Amino acid sequence: MSEIVVDGEPLPFVEGQTVAAALVAAGRVAWRTTRVQHRPRGVFCGIGVCFDCLVRIEGTGGQRACLVQAVAGMTVTTGEHDDE
Amino acid sequence: MTLKVVVVGAGVVGAACAFHAASAGMDVTVVDRGPAGAGTTSRGEGNVLLSDKAPGPELDLARLSRRLWDEAGEELGPQSFELEPKGGLVVACGTEDLAALREFAARQEAAGVRVEPVDHVRDIEPHLAPGVPGGVRYPQDAQVQPVLAATALLRAAVRYGARFRTGAVVGAVTGGDGRITGVRTAAGDVLPADAVVNAAGTWGGEVGRRLGAPVEVLPRRGFVLVTEPLPPMVRHKVYSADYVANVASSDAGLETSCVVEGTPGGTILIGASRERVGFDTTMNTAVVARLAAQACRLFPFLGGVHLIRAYRGFRPYCPDHLPVIGPDPRVPGVVHACGHEGAGIGLAPATGALVTAHLLGRPWRGADPAAHTALLPDRFFTSGGAPQ
Amino acid sequence: MSEPADLVVVGAGPAGMAAAVTALAGGLRVVLVDSGPAVGGQFWRHPPEHARVAIPTGDLHHGLREYLALCAALSAGRAAGRLDLRLAHHVWSAVRDDEFAVHAADRREAPRERPVVLRAPRLLVATGAYDRQLPFPGWDLPGVLTIGGLQALLKGGGVAAGSRVALGGTGPFLLPVAAGLAARGIAVVTVCEAADPRAWLRHPGALLRNPGKWAEGAGYAAVLARHRVPVRPRTAITGAEGGERVTSVRIASLTSDGSPRPGTERRVEVDAVGVGWGFAPQLDLLLPFGCELTDSADGNAVVAVDDGQRTTVPGLYAAGEACGVGGAPLAVAEGRLAAESVLADSGAAPALSRKSLVRARATVARQRAFARAMSMAHPVPAAWSSWLTDETVVCRCEEVTAGAVRAACAEGGAHDHRQVKQLTRAGMGWCQGRMCGPAVHCLAAQKRAYVPAERLVATPVTLGALAQLDE
């Protein structure tokens, strides 16, 4: 199994999974905090329509975790602890 | 006797006319074929600008309007339409530009605009590209959310007794002396009126024709880009000095000069293109790409920021790029209030006050008809009343 | 492929695949573009080619023989240099000047984006649909997903979002998702179907003429029975509770108008939920062209097409859910018919035999009748909004509540979703009203069909990529 790096921690994934699938496989369904009410959010539509699952990938924000294929060594930063 | 006024158009200008006329005690009916603020009002950034105006009749109106926006904020609550006195920052991209900008600002200052030359623009706008030689800050520039503003003004007018009706105006009813006595709607109703205000914005030319008082108001297409929501990154309404030249331009075809600003919702707005293509609604990807490129040159961080929406609208302009505000000599009772181009949001309250002053025959809330004669429709007509 | 293309097909789901294959068979040069990592769309969603051993999903699919045949034909088209297959390309706009220009961001090396313009004299839009959502208290809790989301994780990544799952909403899509989860050992504790199964009795013809649908339904029913999954008609999930994650749902029986029957509400413990109320067609690329729309029986406006899948804009064709939600067999048949029209309009000889053409037309007629009957039998419950409290979030992106939307309608005078958006920001966020649009529409203007807001930018694209386009 390969690994991506999520908020500095290694996270295993199966080749072919999206970043969201890797997070869900690890038991996580929330990894972002909403801008207004600071509520937890994660995967909802799973097909790139709802934008709930946004993460930062290799430093670029606004990436839909459900669409981006996990690649070994990819750096993922979640919005769990900020208000993005 | 209470003056019966029909305001045609429920955009921000029509709403402001209704607000001022109703608060002056007139019997006001606003009529629009659609809902409040659904036309050009909903397609603007909400500019309340002094910075882009050269000394002259439009700046005189803009200075009055800026004060009246503050007064509207006090009366209606500034949050009800997101009034933000954020200030504008005009930046020069070269030293020659800077000299021209400073000279322009000095003339504006002489006309009563507050201007603050800035040498180190990144001190007040930290994410601007390095290498900008300087700029001018205009603390009076502000922003409102246009649809909320139109809705709030209209609601306040209703509190003063105004009515809002949905319907299209198809013609005027005139008395034996040629004076207007009402308007006819598509539904066949006649709304009695002593005066009719043409506040139909981009469609003001057509409404004028239907009232027997045609004025030349033409559409100029503009796209505005909206980014993903971000934490505050852009503090002012920031634009490059060439915008000043563009607004007054009468060249056909595409012009873009980018204006970048944040909003209370976190999105960044990037405007604004200007094209003379009639009412063509099609998307123009080249315009979008050009605006994006200009915005990225001003604020390099935008390169990694997503565009999530683009909208386009049709700004109403008169051939001389001044709004037409005042009574039409050809059809007594018709008062025009349209043709504001990209400045309709900013100029709305002063337009409403000036129209009200014309209807009253005396100054109203600081609007004196004698001080704004350059905006009268007469300028388009020869003495015989025919278009020049 | 170096020579200019004859046709760009946007969307490589069942409709787009079938269209591309037929157009290739007719000798055309085709560009097929999709945002996903593999062809198949949502219905035949697969992990990328290289990952199919590690993530086996064959057991989750229906109609795989057709999929594999289409894949083989596409591969042959690529080998012959006549198909330009663009996966991981996100189309943000399509415009027409002297020909069609499809603007995409190439995201094969995401997050990097490269602007791409794909040109052809003809354009076929087959962009499918996504789950239609109705908000309820707690629907924004982590662990509450769309049923399509549960399915996508399972089919695309081989993962389940929970171990005790409740499904709710309406429509036949609930069953395959329940069966798929159950087959993978997930406890599907309840399937709440709001509709009354007896509604089907009013449309017996549509069922009788579609034996394939019977067989498919019976297959799911057998799986669900084997795993003891209870399917409860005339019930709905009317609330979800939890903190960092959903821990329970409230389930109620529904009266005939869809309001909860007093006294029937009960709580069920879960760690994941899937909801969906039919589908909303993806019309974003079509609306800016000004194509004529038509009302479909499910409450959506869809793009109007003639019997050859031509829209009212010359050179622009549509197939699949954008012309009315109806499932994969309908989409495949519409794709073939659309490609035949492209061939005919380009002056090329037909690709399908007369017999195949007759069969495709018959399939379209039969499947559309079935889709109509299905939407009549699985309506959005009239009284669904009685589940909402004023605090319920309706717009997930901008966190606009039902109370604010109601106030905009009652006090602000808003009578469509566009005005509600201007007054409340509902629909102004990242998803641009794709999630809340149908619900806000129902709250503001119940009677009319839902026409989504015109979105000139069909998917987010970085300003940097756009700036490159300007160079």
Side-chain angles (χ1 to χ4, degrees), chain B residues 330-354:
Chain B
R330 296 163 301 175
V331 184
V334 170
V335 180
H336 295 293
C338 50
H340 294 76
E341 195 152 358
I345 311 297
L347 298 177
T351 302
L354 185 55

Side-chain angles (χ1 to χ4, degrees), chain A residues 14-17 24-25 27 30 34-37 39-41 44-45 47 49-52 54 57 63-64 67 69, chain C residues 37 42 45 48 51 54-55 107 111 140 142 144-146 149 157 159 245 393 396 398-399 430-431 434-435 459-460:
Chain A
V14 179
E15 201 68 42
Q17 283 179 333
V24 170
T34 61
R35 217 169 68 245
V36 184
Q37 297 183 24
R39 301 242 280 253
R41 291 279 177 82
F44 180 65
C45 82
I47 60 169
V49 185
C50 79
F51 296 85
D52 264 4
L54 295 176
I57 289 179
Q63 303 295 312
R64 286 165 277 181
L67 294 187
Q69 296 290 310
Chain C
Q42 302 307 336
R45 176 184 280 269
I55 308 174
R107 288 181 49 89
D140 55 338
V144 179
L145 279 75
T146 71
V159 298
R245 180 175 188 143
V393 165
R396 302 170 65 92
E398 296 296 303
E399 303 178 85
W430 265 107
C431 93
R434 289 175 176 91
M435 288 295 109
T459 191

Side-chain angles (χ1 to χ4, degrees), chain B residues 44-53 82 84-91 124-125 128 136-146 224 234-240 243 258-263 268-271 298-299 342 345-346:
Chain B
E45 304 121 288
N47 285 334
V48 181
L49 299 187
L50 300 185
S51 54
D52 65 336
K53 292 173 183 65
E82 297 181 3
E84 257 199 303
K86 58 165 70 167
L89 176 63
V90 182
V91 296
I124 61 167
E125 204 59 76
L128 266 171
V136 176
R137 196 177 108 84
Y138 292 80
Q140 289 162 297
D141 280 0
Q143 188 174 15
V144 299
Q145 205 272 37
V224 175
V234 180
R235 300 171 183 175
H236 298 81
K237 196 176 274 280
V238 180
Y239 59 92
S240 53
Y243 180 79
C258 120
V259 183
V260 180
E261 63 190 299
T263 68
I268 291 172
L269 303 184
I270 299 161
L298 270 183
F299 288 98
I345 311 297

Side-chain angles (χ1 to χ4, degrees), chain B residues 35 38 42-43 145 147-148 151 155 223 227-229 265 270 283 285 288-290 292-293 296 302-303 305-312, chain C residues 92-93 95 103 113 398 411-412 415 418-419 421-423 425 428-430 432 454 456-457 459-467 469-470:
Chain B
S42 69
R43 308 303 173 106
Q145 205 272 37
V147 177
L148 291 180
T151 310
R155 203 179 300 161
F223 284 93
T227 71
E228 64 184 280
I270 299 161
M283 174 69 161
T285 48
V288 171
R290 175 66 51 83
C296 291
L302 288 173
V305 170
H306 292 89
L307 169 70
I308 66 168
R309 184 157 75 103
Y311 55 92
R312 46 121 170 71
Chain C
W92 62 272
S93 177
V95 294
H103 288 265
E113 287 186 356
E398 296 296 303
E411 293 148 38
H415 45 71
R418 191 172 160 237
Q419 279 177 281
K421 172 171 83 180
Q422 294 284 350
L423 296 177
R425 301 192 61 79
M428 267 196 195
W430 265 107
Q432 290 291 296
E454 181 189 61
L456 297 178
V457 179
T459 191
V461 55
T462 57
L463 293 166
L466 291 171
L469 192 63
D470 187 53

Side-chain angles (χ1 to χ4, degrees), chain B residues 66-131:
Chain B
R66 178 65 189 85
R67 200 189 79 217
L68 291 175
W69 269 123
D70 275 344
E71 290 179 16
E74 282 159 31
E75 182 173 342
L76 311 175
Q79 268 78 55
S80 70
F81 52 91
E82 297 181 3
L83 173 62
E84 257 199 303
K86 58 165 70 167
L89 176 63
V90 182
V91 296
C93 294
T95 43
E96 269 176 45
D97 279 357
L98 183 61
L101 172 64
R102 293 270 163 90
E103 185 272 328
F104 182 68
R107 290 197 292 126
Q108 289 172 307
E109 190 172 29
V113 178
R114 286 170 56 199
V115 303
E116 298 169 1
V118 181
D119 292 330
H120 304 286
V121 289
R122 297 219 291 175
D123 290 352
I124 61 167
E125 204 59 76
H127 299 288
L128 266 171

